[in-house]
Amino acid sequence: MKKPLPYSRRNFLKNVSLTLGASAITAPSFAFIPDDANPQNQTSLPDTLPGAATTVNKDKLGLALVGLGQYSTHQLAPALQETKNVYLAGIVTGTPTKAKAWKKKYNIPDSNIYNYENFDDIINNKDIDIVYVVLPNSMHAEYVIRAAKAKKHVICEKPMATSVEDAERMVQACKENGVQLSVGYRLHYEPFNKRVMELGQQQVYGKVKTIKANFSGNFANGSLDVWRLNKEMAGGGPLMDLGVYCLQGACYTVGKTPVAVTAQFGEVTKPLIFHDVEQSIKWKMYFDDGAVAECETSYADNGNELSAVAEKGWWKLNPAYNYNGKKGETSDGKIDLPDIFEQAYQMDAQAESFQKNKQSITPGEMGLRDLKIITAIYQSAREGGKKIMLT
C-alpha cells in the first residue's frame, strides 16, 4: 500500500513558499476552480449501496469544510446558505484567525471547529455527517481517507487525487468504512451542461462525430496559486486543473469513456514559470463508436468552449465552464436556460444521495476514471504523441 504523503498541511504550505517563493509567482487565488464527468458512464455500483455506516434521519445533513481557501470562502460557504438538504455545520482550518472569522460569520460552535492535528476527533461529532475536502491536490487522499475512517461521507474537490494509486486507496477506504465518496463535479448539476448530455447521449441531432473542448486561462502574469506550479503538489499543470473539464465534457457529451488517447505538450514560452508543470497540452480522445474529441488546456492562453458536431446538427457552449454566465446555441438556435448557484445544487444532490443511501451521479469511481485518462494523456505527450489504449 502506498504510504501517505510525508508532510502535514502546515509543512506543505511552508514548502510551497520555500520551493516557489523566489520564482516570481506570488499570487492571490485562482479565479475559478472547476470540476465534472458523465452520470451514465462511470460505475457498476448498485443504485442503493449496502451497509452505509452513517445513514441518518435528518432533514438536513451537517457538512464540514476542510480547507478555507478561496473556493470555500467565495463559493461553497455562500452556497451552503442556499441549500435545502445540507448546511455548514463545521470547519477545519490551521489558521486561528480564519476560525474566528468563520465562527462569527456563520455561527459555528467551538465544538465544530477543528484543525489538522485534531481532525480525527470529528468521528465523535454527531453534528457532522459530510466532510468536504477542499485542499491542494496532493492532500486530497490523506484527508478523504481520514474522513472515511471517521465514518463520514466525503465530497472531494477535483482532481480527486494526484495519482491513480491514491484515487484507488480513497475509493477503497470509503467502501471499507461504509461511507460514500463523491467528487465536486459541479457541472453535472447545472442546466447548460446537462443539456449537452441530453443532446449527445440521446442523439437529438444523430450520432456525435466530433467534439471540441478548450478550457484555458492566461495566468502567466502571476495570478495563480503558487502550489499549482509544483508537480508534486498539483500532480501536473493545467490538465489536472482545467483540462479535467474538457475531458469530462467530452465523456458526458457521448456518455462514454474513451478507448484511446493521443497528446502533445505545447511550447513553453514562459520557462521561468512553467519549468515543473506543463504550460499547455493538446490531446485527442477516441471513442468506440468513432467519435473523436479534440481538447486543449493552457495556463498561458484563453479558452472556454465545449462544442460538438453530429450527423444532423451541432451545438456549442461558450463560456462552458464558468460558475455563471454560460451561453449556448445549437444549429436550431439559442440555448435559453437559467443561471443557477450550481454549487448549491451540487451539494444538495450529493447530500440527498448520502441521505437516501443511493449512488451519487459523481462518485469516486468517476474521479478514478478521470485520473486513468489523465495518466494516459501525460504518457502519450511524454512519448511524442503515441496512441495509448485505455483498458
Side-chain angles (χ1 to χ4, degrees):
M1 179 177 290
K2 187 173 179 180
K3 294 181 179 179
L5 290 170
Y7 42 77
S8 67
R9 185 174 191 275
R10 184 175 299 160
N11 289 334
F12 172 93
L13 295 173
K14 180 180 179 182
N15 289 341
V16 173
S17 60
L18 291 175
T19 304
L20 298 175
S23 67
I25 306 294
T26 55
S29 347
F30 194 16
F32 42 85
I33 306 176
D35 347 55
D36 63 80
N38 170 27
Q40 298 185 12
N41 176 42
Q42 314 317 325
T43 80
S44 58
L45 292 176
D47 183 58
T48 300
L49 302 178
T54 59
T55 302
V56 290
N57 295 315
K58 291 182 178 179
D59 292 333
K60 279 192 172 187
L61 300 187
L63 181 147
L65 290 172
V66 184
L68 306 183
Q70 294 294 312
Y71 193 56
S72 287
T73 300
H74 298 297
Q75 299 299 325
L76 297 179
L80 285 162
Q81 309 314 301
E82 306 294 331
T83 44
K84 300 176 181 179
N85 302 324
V86 60
Y87 72 100
L88 179 59
I91 54 175
V92 182
T93 178
T95 307
T97 53
K98 285 186 179 180
K100 183 178 180 180
W102 280 63
K103 173 186 175 180
K104 180 179 180 181
K105 183 172 184 177
Y106 295 110
N107 195 29
I108 299 171
D110 289 333
S111 59
N112 291 0
I113 298 175
Y114 296 86
N115 57 47
Y116 297 97
E117 285 70 39
N118 68 8
F119 172 78
D120 299 317
D121 294 343
I122 207 167
I123 191 173
N124 300 312
N125 194 322
K126 294 183 179 180
D127 291 343
I128 295 171
D129 308 291
I130 305 168
V131 167
Y132 196 149
V133 177
V134 201
L135 294 167
N137 302 345
S138 61
M139 301 177 73
H140 289 180
E142 176 186 350
Y143 282 90
V144 166
I145 291 170
R146 288 171 70 178
K149 290 180 178 179
K151 308 300 181 185
K152 306 300 180 183
H153 296 303
V154 192
I155 305 172
C156 181
E157 257 314 301
K158 64 87 209 157
M160 194 170 101
T162 55
S163 70
V164 170
E165 294 77 14
D166 275 352
E168 289 174 338
R169 292 194 303 121
M170 295 157 74
V171 169
Q172 186 60 31
C174 290
K175 287 182 178 178
E176 289 176 352
N177 287 279
V179 298
Q180 290 202 52
L181 171 60
S182 186
V183 186
Y185 287 146
R186 58 186 170 83
L187 295 182
H188 281 272
Y189 304 90
E190 71 84 28
F192 285 87
N193 283 272
K194 287 173 71 174
R195 181 59 177 156
V196 165
M197 297 176 198
E198 293 170 354
L199 293 172
Q201 295 178 27
Q202 297 178 18
Q203 298 190 1
V204 173
Y205 292 102
K207 178 180 170 293
V208 174
K209 298 165 63 178
T210 60
I211 302 165
K212 288 191 176 181
N214 183 342
F215 194 17
S216 301
N218 192 350
F219 305 111
N221 60 1
S223 58
L224 190 69
D225 287 335
V226 203
W227 64 265
R228 296 181 187 276
L229 301 175
N230 182 286
K231 186 175 181 180
E232 182 180 3
M233 298 172 182
L239 177 58
M240 294 288 285
D241 188 15
L242 305 179
V244 69
Y245 284 93
C246 301
L247 177 162
Q248 293 177 348
C251 289
Y252 61 61
T253 294
V254 292
K256 294 176 177 285
T257 294
V259 295
V261 300
T262 58
Q264 290 185 326
F265 290 120
E267 180 184 4
V268 180
T269 61
K270 303 284 185 179
L272 292 179
I273 300 173
F274 302 107
H275 54 84
D276 201 21
V277 301
E278 76 275 7
Q279 176 176 315
S280 63
I281 189 169
K282 294 182 180 181
W283 73 98
K284 291 184 179 181
M285 300 165 63
Y286 304 87
F287 296 90
D288 62 4
D289 61 356
V292 178
E294 297 183 7
C295 305
E296 180 177 0
T297 187
S298 173
Y299 272 162
D301 204 348
N302 290 296
N304 203 316
E305 177 182 331
L306 176 60
S307 62
V309 175
E311 295 171 316
K312 302 175 184 178
W314 57 266
W315 57 90
K316 177 192 289 188
L317 301 184
N318 191 338
Y321 311 105
N322 288 358
Y323 295 144
N324 49 46
K326 296 177 187 64
K327 295 181 180 180
E329 59 179 327
T330 74
S331 46
D332 287 330
K334 181 181 178 181
I335 298 176
D336 189 11
L337 294 168
D339 264 339
I340 65 168
F341 203 155
E342 54 201 50
Q343 287 88 351
Y345 277 68
Q346 169 207 323
M347 289 186 287
D348 259 342
Q350 289 167 325
E352 183 178 17
S353 70
F354 299 158
Q355 180 78 291
K356 294 183 177 180
N357 196 25
K358 291 186 176 181
Q359 178 188 324
S360 165
I361 66 170
T362 54
E365 286 82 359
M366 180 184 287
L368 172 59
R369 178 214 67 168
D370 294 345
L371 281 166
K372 290 179 178 178
I373 299 172
I374 287 170
T375 299
I377 292 169
Y378 277 134
Q379 180 184 348
S380 176
R382 289 194 303 268
E383 297 182 11
K386 176 182 176 182
K387 179 174 277 191
I388 305 298
M389 304 305 295
L390 296 163
T391 57

